[in-house]
Amino acid sequence: MTVPVTIPTPLRGYAAGQKTVSVEGATVGEALSALTTQYPNLRQHLFAEDGKLRSFVNVYLNDEDVRYLKYVETPLRESDTLAILPSVAGGAHESDRAMVR
């Protein structure tokens, strides 16, 4: 079945600038595999060398984090959508904190 995958802005350059890409797959893993087959430069940003999703890459099926479902084995239905969201980390620089005080 075909599902749309939303590509986050920082990764769109590796997906020909596409915001959303439709891919085939019966599971989340199959859909992500199809995505990285279609856009091979995305693979290194989504998957570690061992083939597992990178820890800072979050994949949502509809509004659910796939880590709390069946991960990449989570089955897909016709009405499903996938979204890739890279984790955002960081903090304020010391000079920024001084401005807040």
Side-chain angles (χ1 to χ4, degrees):
M1 83 192 49
T2 303
V3 294
V5 181
T6 302
I7 310 296
T9 303
L11 297 179
R12 289 181 190 159
Y14 305 105
Q18 300 294 312
K19 180 179 180 178
T20 304
V21 176
S22 292
V23 297
E24 294 284 328
T27 65
V28 169
E30 287 179 14
L32 293 175
S33 179
L35 177 67
T36 57
T37 297
Q38 189 172 350
Y39 299 103
N41 291 333
L42 271 176
R43 179 167 286 287
Q44 67 184 353
H45 299 283
L46 300 181
F47 294 98
E49 289 182 18
D50 63 4
K52 294 181 181 176
L53 278 174
R54 293 188 177 277
S55 60
F56 57 83
V57 174
N58 301 306
V59 178
Y60 284 81
L61 173 62
N62 304 317
D63 292 326
E64 297 284 331
D65 187 332
V66 298
R67 289 185 181 113
Y68 301 106
L69 301 171
K70 294 182 180 178
Y71 199 50
V72 294
E73 297 301 319
T74 304
L76 298 173
R77 295 177 309 216
E78 200 65 41
S79 61
D80 287 336
T81 60
L82 289 174
I84 300 169
L85 299 171
S87 295
V88 178
H93 187 271
E94 185 61 34
S95 61
D96 295 336
R97 280 183 245 160
M99 293 173 58
V100 172
R101 292 182 193 151

